[in-house]
């Protein structure tokens, strides 16, 4: 193997730059050449790329987002686009590819593996919905951002005895919402994985109110409902006014945490090492503090990373 | 003067705790007793208060919000409530009062001054809409929070070539929006004080797009329009999709900046000193780096703190 | 079991409050009473304690340090002190104890277990030197603080083409130093676990200088040498002036990261659960994302948590 | 005027990038060309510079330090060097120059003004020691960094009942130390402008100890003594052990605060405007919230910006 390529795809997450840097520097230090693809699969199809040097990745470790940029790419969801992408890679003399992104991005990686490009995927998604890795890249930074915002909100909530409904990212996966609730001492966490009873929540709000603790924070994963919907339901149920807060894209970015810089660096180096050992069609993940490869097919069977039941229990027992 | 009282009222802002602490410790060190009123004017009417010691205000300097709490109080907007509040203060033997809050709170302070309570107001409002002070308490912390969130957003915007419309607090006053735009390098700041032309903004978006810079950040003060409305107008005008972000109550809180801790401390000490010098019916403000008193009547004539034209110009010239 | 106690001991670390909160609330929600011991083993010997309610642990989750306080306690290192501590616990009717701290604290826990008090230890130490847990409480927050400080320093280093030697906590364990080096892109990490060659470091500084990259960051664990010593050695070797920075106690504190709040909460709940299941003389640890008990004797055999060789390798390859 | 130049010199401070960006964009938007000088006066003498475009200053607003870099330059302190610098500027066709830096840098600016280069200085120095401006660029960010570090330290100090001596930048000027003491609630601030009595400080430590409040934070400006010296004096005086913390270069850097981004932007634009209006040999400063020019000769007469006596008083009364 003489030349590899790297791209970031899908929604950006903090730590992607650390991963790209580690791919580039690990590869260069092993004598490989590295092509950086701009704007994800779109750049692969549009032949938007350049050769990377050690300096290309200086001073990016501390920056959020992805300096290689990302973009949506419908072509990559169809055979024709996948074929073109594989041909372009071969045309550049690229024998190995590292794809950094979420499940859609990993699906693209699998399609290129099937077309003869040795491909390794790195799981990057703030939702933490990708299975076979205990953490995806960007989750820890997102959590710290969320926790900072909710800490701020609590100052206001406790100054005014107010209830806030906070909407948090996560379509199918309540990980961010659940962990943020534990980390911030929120009263309730509404997540897609477990049913909730709005009547019980209202009953608890009433009970807190009677006890003189009428400030409350309720977190809701976007996959469950909007913050506005929950606020309306509470008003309909007990006439109680609550404020809403939608954290939105603020959750994605910011200078990566130490954890995500380390994780991205380990993922990047591990992916290059896997390619050099002839691996392909696999995702590198974090398992019991170690790097571990799993077949992309297995990762992409459709099951979402399950939520840890003990954490759901923990969230409830701490609101005692 | 033997005994004074202090309360926080209206929307909370970071630095209120520093101000309360300075009122309490300055007064105690001058031999005065201090009563802390809980929940603003409501606590004054409900007789919800307690004596303050040096220790009562330990470890609050670094905390957002107000540990004395705040609340809405309709009674205080009417004669009967104002009379009751003044009577309660006299019943407690309180001769002087420090009121920390926004324009509504200062209006209450004026009404108590007219009822014979020596009263000094401290301007606290993240909007920075109060005249006769160059900065209100909490503005600087709010700006740092806003700037942090928009920095995060820029990581995402530049990773994806996206346009974001960010909605910022400020009903009648565009100060936060304008300064944040300068501080974050936003492309446009839509503020109540100056008209804007949606066609020109769309034209600029198109121009940036042609130049290959299709990420943009547009800030809008809530008093102008919602972020969603601006996003819709842009879509109607040029078919361009933009994302929205509503910063909401996140802007209020968080550990106060160094500036707000210092300002709150100076305001608090200055208010006590003013009371001891027999002043009343005045607001303490920051003017040319010094503390300065202004008659509350003058402050409350209805004019909002005007925006600095040179800053509007600055905002435009930096987007060259 | 009807009544348990909790104490924090040794150097404070961020997340201790989350652990205490989880111990208290988990225990109360299971029908147990909880005694909070102030100032660690010293408070146990001096009978400095109080009953804990749900409210006792409100609003502490976001605070660094330990609100139960910690202290040195020489008595606890001797038989007489250990006997007195055990008697005092029995005198209070305490059947179970949770000890939160580093290896010295866990040693005390073992001595109480041997005196018939059911005892569970929670590993809290920013050094991450405790074996049988992949992370100790406070490490993640310390790393984020260190990374923030070094990011700041890099701004200055690259503005002036300067070399900085940064001294980081860790007497026997280079974990903080190694991870910080990877996370910040430092050129060298000097740790107790692997030998280093000052000549090679000087050679590299010269090489960077010739390439026009004369800013460098070198991290050194306090167990290896002081920053000043390394700076002197470099000066003696190649006449190159470097600046030093000693991070000191700044590393310990600050609002805990999301990770440490979650970890502390899980440790706290897990410790109570273990006590209720009749366990004793064990430490709860994090292993493969799960809670796991290990005999304190095994933990305390003197071996320090080994450093991950692959991370040492990673640190080197990224400085290519 | 067709072409101007800009350089940063002396110790870096946060907000310098905002100032450079504003100089570049304001000038370009007025039809001027802009030359960026690298590494301060050294680059001017070595002819190390390049033409600036709008894009040259993209994405630097949020970064600490100075991307134009700074360096020491002994040549500039002598006639020959000053003559060469002026000739080089003329050789490039540069008619106006903006110098961003501390008092040494402003001295260089004055020497170039005297050699016929129209020159405007921008005060940048974290010490806040430059007169005729209420704030220098970088002071606010430095203060926020200091306050963050001391907040962290207080967590540890109050967890262990410890006294800390913290050494803060400021050779001739105690501004940072004094404001940080007020903002963090430190017990004492030792500054060059006012004498202190170590005996009184020790007496206070003893008194606090008797009252059961034996954690204390004492701040000392580097111009007064080192933290170690103060710690030794206290030990000699009352045998009390204290820990030390030297904040060092950590104080300089980090992403600039909102205030410094705004101030840098205003300074930069104001400097260009002054040049276009034919001004020279002046420093732009902040006075009563407005931009104001002062003759560099007046600025450089040797007097340091005096400390505000009322703030010294404030610092003392809050430690009641």
């Amino acid at each position: 193997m003489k030349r590899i390529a790297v791209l970031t795809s899908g929604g950006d997450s903090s730590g992607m730059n650390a991963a790209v840097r580690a791919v580039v520097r690990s590869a260069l230090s092993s004598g490989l050449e590295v092509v950086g693809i701009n704007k994800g699969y779109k750049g692969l199809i549009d032949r938007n790329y350049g050769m990377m040097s050690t300096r290309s990745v200086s001073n990016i470790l501390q920056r959020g987002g992805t300096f290689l940029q990302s973009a949506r790419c419908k072509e990559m969801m169809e055979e024709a686009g996948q074929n073109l992408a594989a041909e372009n890679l071969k045309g550049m003399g690229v024998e190995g590819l590292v794809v950094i992104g979420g499940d859609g991005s990993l699906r693209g990686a699998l399609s290129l593996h099937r077309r003869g490009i040795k491909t390794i995927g790195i799981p990057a998604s703030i939702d933490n919905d990708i299975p076979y890795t205990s953490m995806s890249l960007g989750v820890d930074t997102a959590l710290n951002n969320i926790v900072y915002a909710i800490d701020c909100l609590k100052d206001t909530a406790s100054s005014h005895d107010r209830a806030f409904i906070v909407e948090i990212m996560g379509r199918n996966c309540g990980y961010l919402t659940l962990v943020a609730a534990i980390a911030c001492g929120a009263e309730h966490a509404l997540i897609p994985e477990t049913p909730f009873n709005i009547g019980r929540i209202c009953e608890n709000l009433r009970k807190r109110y009677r006890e003189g603790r009428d400030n409350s924070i309720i977190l809701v994963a976007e996959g469950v409902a909007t913050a506005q919907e929950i606020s309306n339901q509470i008003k309909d149920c007990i006439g109680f006014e609550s404020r809403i807060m939608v954290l939105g894209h603020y959750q994605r970015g910011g200078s990566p945490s130490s954890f995500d810089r380390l994780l991205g660096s380990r993922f990047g180096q591990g992916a290059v090492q896997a390619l050099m050992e002839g691996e392909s069609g696999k995702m590198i993940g974090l398992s019991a503090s170690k790097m571990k490869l799993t077949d992309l097919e297995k990762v992409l069977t459709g099951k979402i990373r399950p939520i840890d039941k003990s954490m759901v229990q923990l969230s409830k027992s701490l609101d005692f």
Side-chain angles (χ1 to χ4, degrees), chain A residues 93-140:
Chain A
V94 166
E95 293 163 90
L97 174 68
V98 180
V99 168
I100 304 166
D103 60 352
S105 311
L106 297 176
R107 231 169 270 283
L110 181 57
S111 74
L112 292 171
H113 160 71
R114 286 174 176 157
R115 279 159 183 80
I117 308 292
K118 291 205 181 302
T119 308
I120 299 291
I122 289 177
S125 153
I126 68 166
D127 287 2
N128 212 24
D129 55 349
I130 303 172
Y132 300 101
T133 186
S134 58
M135 288 287 271
S136 288
L137 199 52
V139 175
D140 186 66

Coordinates of all heavy atoms in Angstrom, one line a residue, chain A residues 93-140:
Chain A
G93 N -4.8 6.4 -7.7 CA -3.9 5.5 -7.1 C -4.1 5.2 -5.6 O -3.2 4.8 -4.9
V94 N -5.3 5.5 -5.1 CA -5.6 5.3 -3.7 C -6.0 3.8 -3.5 O -6.9 3.3 -4.1 CB -6.7 6.2 -3.3 CG1 -7.2 5.8 -1.9 CG2 -6.2 7.7 -3.2
E95 N -5.3 3.2 -2.6 CA -5.6 1.8 -2.3 C -6.4 1.6 -1.0 O -7.0 0.6 -0.8 CB -4.3 1.0 -2.2 CG -3.5 0.9 -3.5 CD -2.1 0.5 -3.3 OE1 -1.8 -0.7 -3.2 OE2 -1.2 1.4 -3.1
G96 N -6.3 2.6 -0.1 CA -7.0 2.5 1.2 C -7.7 3.8 1.5 O -7.3 4.9 1.1
L97 N -8.8 3.7 2.2 CA -9.6 4.8 2.5 C -10.1 4.8 4.0 O -10.5 3.7 4.5 CB -10.9 4.9 1.6 CG -11.9 6.0 1.9 CD1 -11.4 7.3 1.5 CD2 -13.2 5.7 1.1
V98 N -10.0 5.9 4.6 CA -10.6 6.1 5.9 C -11.8 7.0 5.9 O -11.6 8.2 5.4 CB -9.6 6.6 7.0 CG1 -10.2 6.7 8.3 CG2 -8.3 5.7 7.0
V99 N -12.9 6.5 6.3 CA -14.2 7.3 6.3 C -14.6 7.7 7.7 O -14.7 6.8 8.5 CB -15.3 6.5 5.6 CG1 -16.6 7.2 5.8 CG2 -15.0 6.4 4.1
I100 N -14.7 9.0 8.0 CA -15.1 9.4 9.4 C -16.5 10.0 9.3 O -16.7 11.0 8.7 CB -14.1 10.5 9.8 CG1 -12.6 10.0 9.8 CG2 -14.4 11.0 11.2 CD1 -11.5 11.0 9.9
G101 N -17.4 9.3 10.0 CA -18.8 9.8 10.0 C -19.7 8.9 10.7 O -19.3 8.0 11.4
G102 N -21.0 9.2 10.5 CA -22.1 8.4 11.2 C -22.5 7.2 10.3 O -21.8 6.8 9.4
D103 N -23.7 6.7 10.6 CA -24.1 5.5 10.0 C -24.3 5.6 8.5 O -23.9 4.7 7.7 CB -25.3 4.8 10.7 CG -26.6 5.7 10.6 OD1 -26.4 6.9 10.2 OD2 -27.6 5.2 11.0
G104 N -24.8 6.7 8.0 CA -24.9 6.9 6.5 C -23.5 6.9 5.9 O -23.3 6.3 4.8
S105 N -22.6 7.5 6.5 CA -21.2 7.5 6.0 C -20.6 6.1 6.0 O -19.8 5.8 5.1 CB -20.4 8.5 6.9 OG -21.0 9.7 7.1
L106 N -20.9 5.4 7.0 CA -20.3 4.0 7.1 C -20.9 3.1 6.0 O -20.2 2.2 5.5 CB -20.5 3.4 8.5 CG -19.9 4.2 9.7 CD1 -20.2 3.6 11.0 CD2 -18.3 4.2 9.5
R107 N -22.2 3.4 5.7 CA -22.8 2.7 4.6 C -22.1 2.9 3.3 O -21.9 2.0 2.5 CB -24.3 3.1 4.5 CG -25.3 2.0 4.5 CD -26.7 2.5 4.6 NE -27.1 2.6 6.0 CZ -27.5 1.6 6.7 NH1 -27.5 0.4 6.2 NH2 -27.8 1.7 8.0
G108 N -21.7 4.2 3.1 CA -20.9 4.5 1.9 C -19.6 3.8 1.9 O -19.1 3.3 0.9
A109 N -19.0 3.7 3.1 CA -17.7 3.0 3.2 C -17.8 1.5 2.8 O -17.0 1.0 2.1 CB -17.2 3.1 4.7
L110 N -18.9 0.9 3.3 CA -19.1 -0.5 2.9 C -19.3 -0.7 1.4 O -18.7 -1.6 0.9 CB -20.4 -1.0 3.7 CG -20.8 -2.5 3.5 CD1 -19.6 -3.4 3.9 CD2 -22.0 -2.8 4.3
S111 N -20.0 0.3 0.8 CA -20.2 0.1 -0.7 C -18.8 0.2 -1.4 O -18.6 -0.4 -2.4 CB -21.2 1.2 -1.2 OG -20.6 2.5 -1.2
L112 N -17.9 1.0 -0.9 CA -16.6 1.2 -1.5 C -15.7 -0.1 -1.3 O -15.0 -0.5 -2.1 CB -15.9 2.4 -1.1 CG -16.6 3.7 -1.5 CD1 -16.0 4.9 -0.8 CD2 -16.5 3.9 -3.1
H113 N -15.9 -0.6 -0.1 CA -15.2 -1.9 0.3 C -15.6 -3.0 -0.7 O -14.8 -3.7 -1.2 CB -15.5 -2.3 1.7 CG -15.3 -3.7 2.0 ND1 -14.1 -4.3 2.1 CD2 -16.2 -4.7 2.2 CE1 -14.2 -5.6 2.4 NE2 -15.5 -5.9 2.5
R114 N -16.9 -3.0 -1.0 CA -17.4 -4.0 -2.0 C -16.9 -3.8 -3.4 O -17.0 -4.6 -4.2 CB -18.9 -4.0 -1.9 CG -19.5 -4.6 -0.6 CD -21.0 -4.5 -0.5 NE -21.5 -5.2 0.7 CZ -22.6 -4.9 1.3 NH1 -23.4 -3.9 0.8 NH2 -22.9 -5.6 2.4
R115 N -16.5 -2.6 -3.6 CA -15.9 -2.2 -5.0 C -14.4 -2.3 -5.0 O -13.8 -1.7 -5.9 CB -16.4 -0.9 -5.4 CG -17.8 -0.9 -6.0 CD -18.6 0.4 -6.0 NE -19.9 0.2 -6.4 CZ -20.9 -0.3 -5.7 NH1 -20.7 -0.6 -4.4 NH2 -22.1 -0.4 -6.2
G116 N -13.8 -3.0 -4.0 CA -12.4 -3.2 -4.0 C -11.5 -2.2 -3.4 O -10.3 -2.3 -3.5
I117 N -12.1 -1.2 -2.8 CA -11.2 -0.2 -2.1 C -11.1 -0.7 -0.6 O -12.1 -0.9 0.0 CB -11.9 1.2 -2.1 CG1 -12.2 1.6 -3.5 CG2 -11.0 2.2 -1.4 CD1 -11.0 1.9 -4.4
K118 N -9.9 -0.8 -0.1 CA -9.8 -1.2 1.3 C -10.3 0.0 2.1 O -9.7 1.1 2.0 CB -8.3 -1.5 1.6 CG -7.9 -2.8 0.9 CD -6.7 -3.5 1.7 CE -6.3 -4.8 1.0 NZ -7.4 -5.7 0.8
T119 N -11.3 -0.3 2.9 CA -11.9 0.9 3.6 C -12.1 0.6 5.1 O -12.6 -0.5 5.5 CB -13.3 1.1 3.0 OG1 -13.1 1.3 1.6 CG2 -13.9 2.4 3.6
I120 N -11.7 1.5 5.9 CA -12.0 1.4 7.4 C -12.8 2.6 7.8 O -12.6 3.8 7.4 CB -10.7 1.5 8.2 CG1 -9.8 0.3 7.8 CG2 -10.9 1.5 9.7 CD1 -10.3 -1.1 8.3
G121 N -13.9 2.4 8.6 CA -14.7 3.5 9.1 C -14.4 3.9 10.5 O -14.0 3.1 11.3
I122 N -14.6 5.2 10.8 CA -14.4 5.7 12.1 C -15.7 6.3 12.6 O -16.3 7.2 11.9 CB -13.3 6.8 12.2 CG1 -11.9 6.2 12.0 CG2 -13.4 7.6 13.5 CD1 -10.8 7.2 12.0
P123 N -16.3 5.8 13.7 CA -17.7 6.3 14.1 C -17.6 7.7 14.7 O -17.0 7.9 15.7 CB -18.1 5.2 15.1 CG -16.8 4.7 15.7 CD -15.8 4.8 14.6
A124 N -18.3 8.6 14.0 CA -18.3 10.0 14.5 C -19.8 10.4 14.4 O -20.4 10.5 13.4 CB -17.5 10.9 13.7
S125 N -20.4 10.7 15.6 CA -21.8 11.0 15.6 C -22.1 11.5 17.1 O -21.9 10.7 18.0 CB -22.7 9.8 15.3 OG -23.9 9.9 15.9
I126 N -22.6 12.7 17.2 CA -22.9 13.1 18.6 C -24.0 12.3 19.3 O -24.1 12.4 20.5 CB -23.1 14.6 18.7 CG1 -24.4 15.0 18.1 CG2 -21.9 15.4 18.1 CD1 -24.8 16.5 18.5
D127 N -24.8 11.7 18.5 CA -26.0 10.9 19.1 C -25.5 9.7 19.9 O -26.3 9.2 20.7 CB -26.9 10.5 18.0 CG -27.7 11.6 17.4 OD1 -27.5 12.7 17.8 OD2 -28.6 11.3 16.6
N128 N -24.3 9.2 19.6 CA -23.8 7.9 20.2 C -24.8 6.8 19.9 O -25.0 5.9 20.7 CB -23.6 8.0 21.7 CG -22.5 7.2 22.2 OD1 -21.6 6.9 21.4 ND2 -22.5 6.8 23.5
D129 N -25.3 6.7 18.7 CA -26.2 5.7 18.2 C -25.5 4.5 17.5 O -26.2 3.6 17.1 CB -27.3 6.3 17.4 CG -26.7 7.1 16.2 OD1 -25.5 7.3 16.1 OD2 -27.5 7.4 15.3
I130 N -24.2 4.6 17.3 CA -23.6 3.6 16.5 C -23.1 2.4 17.4 O -22.5 2.7 18.4 CB -22.3 4.2 15.8 CG1 -22.8 5.4 14.9 CG2 -21.6 3.1 14.9 CD1 -21.6 6.1 14.3
P131 N -23.5 1.2 17.1 CA -23.2 0.1 17.9 C -21.7 -0.4 17.8 O -21.0 0.1 16.9 CB -24.1 -1.0 17.5 CG -24.5 -0.7 16.1 CD -24.4 0.8 15.9
Y132 N -21.3 -1.3 18.6 CA -19.9 -1.8 18.6 C -18.8 -0.8 18.8 O -17.7 -1.0 18.4 CB -19.7 -2.6 17.2 CG -20.6 -3.7 17.1 CD1 -21.7 -3.6 16.3 CD2 -20.4 -4.9 17.8 CE1 -22.7 -4.7 16.2 CE2 -21.4 -5.9 17.7 CZ -22.5 -5.8 16.9 OH -23.4 -6.8 16.8
T133 N -19.2 0.3 19.5 CA -18.2 1.2 20.0 C -18.8 1.8 21.3 O -20.0 2.1 21.2 CB -17.7 2.3 19.1 OG1 -16.6 3.0 19.7 CG2 -18.8 3.2 18.7
S134 N -18.1 1.9 22.4 CA -18.7 2.4 23.6 C -19.0 3.9 23.5 O -19.9 4.4 24.0 CB -18.0 2.0 24.8 OG -16.6 2.5 24.8
M135 N -18.1 4.6 22.7 CA -18.4 6.0 22.4 C -18.0 6.3 21.0 O -17.0 5.8 20.4 CB -17.4 6.8 23.3 CG -17.8 6.9 24.8 SD -19.3 7.8 25.2 CE -18.5 9.5 25.5
S136 N -18.9 7.1 20.4 CA -18.6 7.7 19.0 C -17.8 9.0 19.2 O -17.9 9.7 20.3 CB -19.8 7.9 18.2 OG -20.4 6.7 17.8
L137 N -17.1 9.4 18.2 CA -16.4 10.7 18.3 C -17.3 11.9 18.3 O -18.2 12.0 17.5 CB -15.5 10.7 17.0 CG -14.3 11.7 17.0 CD1 -13.4 11.4 18.2 CD2 -13.5 11.4 15.7
G138 N -17.1 12.7 19.3 CA -17.9 14.0 19.4 C -18.9 13.9 20.5 O -19.5 15.0 20.9
V139 N -19.2 12.7 21.0 CA -20.3 12.6 22.0 C -19.8 13.4 23.3 O -20.6 14.1 23.9 CB -20.5 11.1 22.4 CG1 -21.5 11.0 23.5 CG2 -21.0 10.4 21.1
D140 N -18.6 13.1 23.7 CA -18.2 13.7 25.0 C -18.2 15.3 24.9 O -18.6 15.9 25.9 CB -16.8 13.2 25.3 CG -16.3 13.7 26.7 OD1 -16.9 13.2 27.7 OD2 -15.4 14.5 26.8

